[in-house]
């Protein structure tokens, strides 16, 4: 493989056995990590009553109209939710 300057690059794949790491300072290595995002989103949607109300009203209006969407209200709702989620998800993220 060549890089953009024409130099030859050899790709090497290394396999490292770090089985000993499982016993260092961790007690729950076999447990699956839990994604906090769904719970945080659920809590944050409560902070956006107007966008949620507009989105739900749009869904009702277009229920029987094929080809019509509530895309703009959907994005408005998720923009509001994301503003609430961002600081909380970063606070819950471990380094």
């Amino acid at each position: 493989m060549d890089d953009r300057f024409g130099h030859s690059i050899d790709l090497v794949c290394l396999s490292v056995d770090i089985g000993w790491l499982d016993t260092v300072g961790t007690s729950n290595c076999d447990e699956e990590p839990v994604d906090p995002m769904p719970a945080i989103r659920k809590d944050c949607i409560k902070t956006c009553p107007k966008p949620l109300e507009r989105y739900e009203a749009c869904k009702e209006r277009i229920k029987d109209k094929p080809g019509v969407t509530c895309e703009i209200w959907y994005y408005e709702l998720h923009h509001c939710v994301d503003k609430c989620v961002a600081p909380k998800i970063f606070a819950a993220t471990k380094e």
Side-chain angles (χ1 to χ4, degrees):
M1 172 185 260
D2 292 340
D3 67 3
R4 64 185 181 151
F5 300 108
H7 300 113
S8 179
I9 301 173
D10 294 326
L11 300 178
V12 178
C13 181
L14 297 175
S15 175
V16 180
D17 180 16
I18 56 170
W20 59 271
L21 190 60
D22 289 343
T23 60
V24 178
T26 57
S27 60
N28 58 356
C29 289
D30 295 334
E31 296 177 17
E32 283 290 318
V34 177
D35 183 8
M37 182 69 91
I40 293 173
R41 276 195 178 279
K42 189 174 182 179
D43 288 340
C44 282
I45 205 158
K46 298 171 191 169
T47 66
C48 302
K50 287 287 185 187
L52 179 61
E53 179 183 320
R54 286 186 219 126
Y55 177 64
E56 293 296 331
C58 177
K59 285 189 342 186
E60 273 302 308
R61 278 194 313 270
I62 68 163
K63 191 185 305 185
D64 297 324
K65 298 178 183 175
V68 181
T69 68
C70 294
E71 186 175 3
I72 191 70
W73 292 275
Y74 174 82
Y75 288 126
E76 181 183 298
L77 172 61
H78 280 279
H79 177 72
C80 178
V81 171
D82 286 345
K83 286 194 318 191
C84 171
V85 167
K88 294 178 181 184
I89 196 67
F90 285 114
T93 305
K94 296 180 182 179
E95 288 187 32

